[in-house]
Amino acid sequence: MRPTPLSACVLLLATVACTSPPVPSGAGGAASAALFEGATLIDGTGAVPVEGSAFLVEGGRISWVGLEGEREPPGGAARIDLSGRTVIPALIDGHNHIGLVDVRTGTERKEHYTRETLLDHLRRYAYYGVAAALSMGLEEDRELAYALRDEVVPDAARFLTVGRGIAGTRMGGPQNEARLGIPYGAASAEEGRAHVRELQADGVRFVKIWVDDRGGTVPKLRPDVYRAIIDEAHGLGMQVLAHVGRTSALEDAKDLYRAGIDGFVHTVRDRDVDEEYLALVREHPGVWTAPNMPSTPLTHEDLASLAETFPPGRVEAMRAEIERREAAGDTAPSELFELHCRNLRQYHGAGMIIGLGTDGTGDGFGVHEEMAAYTRCGLTAHEAIVAATRVNAELLGLDDLGTLQPGKSASFVVLDASPLDDIRNSRAISDVYLAGERVDREALRAGFLDGAM
């Protein structure tokens, strides 16, 4: 949602969130079991939340879901009282560009793309209750990205990647200097097909394409080239996801529909969609979007959450900026945000699949901002949660994530208040569990702030 956190702003360091009752070491892990009781369970399917729920975790997975008191835990299992709390599935970010930004300084450079930086970002995601994050086409070091893709790292979100995306030229995708030269360039149909074959050989599921001339400053990926990319990808069992720009986006998106595109990682953002476009939406019910809403002015409440993981120097600068905005009365969403809202309402009404992606650069908090933006645009809080959980899991092929049902990964977030009452309560995190293991948020927070400016 925020291309970089550079322009953000925040309150003084917030107090530590309350934690759930202590969990015995290894509770819910591969060699033990735990029964979690008493919470209101929002299982991610869209079903009515269950008050007074109970669920059993064994071997890192959910083995049973029911009501409190319906069964006793197996011998030796931990028993965790979650009365008064709400549980949701761990969240999923379907679109980000992590690895290039040093969150402590806010600087974005190619040399930041290291294992250390990627793990820092994935730990920030885990801290905020995110189980998996899909990096969308800007892998400066592909070998590193593909190696990390296959790792399970404690207290970190799962790293997913589309490898390098494809633009009209290598300099034609992203504008930011740190990102230039990373994508593949495809000036011909055969070049596009060759890049798809290379991505397929690397085990990539999705092909990211930029269909954007950046306001006329770079060559746009030509229609004959993206048709060839889509054809090659579909022949290899892959999907193609499109970035459309801020000029001619509506017409480009219409042609991409006709070319067989699978999804959009941005919404149409140059004008309001028309009936011709909505007809295409209805004619292609499998095509999805992760609208990537523009930033809204940060509030003190937002910044208090960010202050848990941002260095004090940046927090203070952010706080000053938000106070300047408030003094100037500059707190309303931008016209661009309102345009996105109108189009999101239209897609939603036409039955388009709505996933969730942040376009974020590593602070981990963007999924919560994006869900809040969805509710400002007419979706219910429950719909926003489902978009960030079940829908994203289905779109990205994450069969073990997205819902809290028997057989699924025990990856969930324990909240101190219900996000159905106010979606901002998704930030009231008491605990995070990934594959049955409790994330050590206190240790992560100390690491984020250790030696910070």
Side-chain angles (χ1 to χ4, degrees):
M1 186 169 174
R2 288 170 292 137
T4 71
L6 285 171
S7 60
C9 328
V10 207
L11 201 63
L12 293 174
L13 209 50
T15 55
V16 175
C18 297
T19 59
S20 294
V23 181
S25 178
S32 60
L35 181 67
F36 295 82
E37 301 175 286
T40 296
L41 181 66
I42 301 172
D43 69 5
T45 66
V48 175
V50 177
E51 297 183 11
S53 71
F55 57 95
L56 182 64
V57 173
E58 298 180 283
R61 290 185 176 268
I62 294 173
S63 60
W64 172 82
V65 178
L67 295 175
E68 187 175 14
E70 284 188 334
R71 67 176 295 175
E72 290 295 312
R79 198 163 192 161
I80 314 301
D81 182 8
L82 297 181
S83 299
R85 293 186 166 91
T86 300
V87 170
I88 63 173
L91 306 168
I92 300 166
D93 183 359
H95 174 192
N96 62 73
H97 299 292
I98 68 172
L100 292 167
V101 170
D102 181 337
V103 175
R104 293 186 178 188
T105 63
T107 56
E108 185 168 15
R109 300 191 182 108
K110 284 185 174 66
E111 54 265 34
H112 289 330
Y113 196 95
T114 63
R115 178 180 172 84
E116 180 183 8
T117 302
L118 286 167
L119 290 179
D120 175 69
H121 293 175
L122 294 170
R123 287 169 179 142
R124 291 173 188 273
Y125 269 115
Y127 181 88
Y128 287 113
V130 179
L134 177 61
S135 183
M136 192 66 75
L138 291 175
E139 307 309 352
E140 169 61 13
D141 184 336
R142 285 177 295 169
E143 290 187 9
L144 171 60
Y146 294 146
L148 187 57
R149 174 184 62 183
D150 298 326
E151 287 191 47
V152 176
V153 180
D155 287 352
R158 190 182 309 176
F159 179 68
L160 312 172
T161 178
V162 304
R164 289 185 174 177
I166 307 174
T169 70
R170 290 198 65 190
M171 308 299 282
Q175 287 179 303
N176 188 306
E177 184 177 350
R179 307 178 181 195
L180 292 176
I182 296 178
Y184 293 114
S188 69
E190 186 45 49
E191 278 189 304
R193 289 181 183 275
H195 294 323
V196 173
R197 291 192 293 271
E198 183 174 341
L199 289 165
Q200 195 269 344
D202 288 330
V204 169
R205 176 187 175 93
F206 300 104
V207 179
K208 158 75 173 292
I209 60 174
W210 280 273
V211 182
D212 189 356
D213 64 2
R214 299 295 181 179
T217 62
V218 297
K220 184 186 289 188
L221 192 67
R222 298 198 318 257
D224 65 306
V225 179
Y226 62 65
R227 278 178 164 76
I229 289 170
I230 292 170
D231 179 69
E232 190 74 21
H234 287 177
L236 295 171
M238 305 166 74
Q239 295 184 26
V240 182
L241 310 178
H243 161 119
V244 291
R246 297 187 181 182
T247 57
S248 71
L250 178 58
E251 296 309 312
D252 288 337
K254 289 177 182 178
D255 194 59
L256 284 160
Y257 258 111
R258 298 181 182 110
I261 199 69
D262 297 288
F264 294 93
V265 296
H266 291 281
T267 189
V268 171
R269 45 190 177 159
D270 64 331
R271 66 193 73 181
D272 290 275
V273 295
D274 56 21
E275 186 50 44
E276 181 184 18
Y277 186 80
L278 294 174
L280 288 166
V281 170
R282 290 187 285 266
E283 290 166 12
H284 299 83
V287 176
W288 56 274
T289 185
N292 178 225
M293 305 300 290
S295 298
T296 56
L298 289 174
T299 67
H300 289 294
E301 183 178 33
D302 298 329
L303 303 178
S305 295
L306 284 170
E308 295 179 23
T309 59
F310 270 49
R314 294 197 67 201
V315 169
E316 186 61 25
M318 294 171 178
R319 182 187 60 78
E321 173 62 15
I322 198 170
E323 289 179 354
R324 183 199 66 77
R325 281 180 171 272
E326 288 178 344
D330 181 18
T331 58
S334 66
E335 175 51 37
L336 182 61
F337 180 88
E338 297 298 346
L339 171 63
H340 277 63
C341 262
R342 293 194 299 272
N343 284 342
L344 176 56
R345 292 187 193 103
Q346 294 273 47
Y347 303 150
H348 188 242
M352 193 174 191
I353 300 168
I354 309 295
L356 187 146
T358 66
D359 204 18
T361 57
D363 63 50
F365 183 66
V367 175
H368 298 276
E369 292 179 294
E370 194 78 3
M371 288 194 298
Y374 280 15
T375 65
R376 295 182 73 157
C377 297
L379 275 69
T380 68
H382 205 167
E383 287 173 326
I385 292 167
V386 170
T389 55
R390 176 182 61 79
V391 174
N392 266 4
E394 291 175 352
L395 294 174
L396 303 186
L398 301 174
D399 296 338
D400 60 333
L401 294 176
T403 62
L404 298 176
Q405 297 172 293
K408 297 283 189 173
S409 172
S411 296
F412 57 92
V413 186
V414 181
L415 303 173
D416 287 326
S418 174
L420 300 186
D421 295 335
D422 184 336
I423 192 61
R424 292 172 296 182
N425 288 336
S426 70
R427 310 151 189 206
I429 297 173
S430 173
D431 269 314
V432 175
Y433 288 81
L434 298 179
E437 295 290 347
R438 183 172 178 259
V439 172
D440 191 344
R441 298 180 76 236
E442 184 176 351
L444 287 180
R445 184 166 52 249
F448 299 146
L449 300 177
D450 181 39
M453 297 184 305

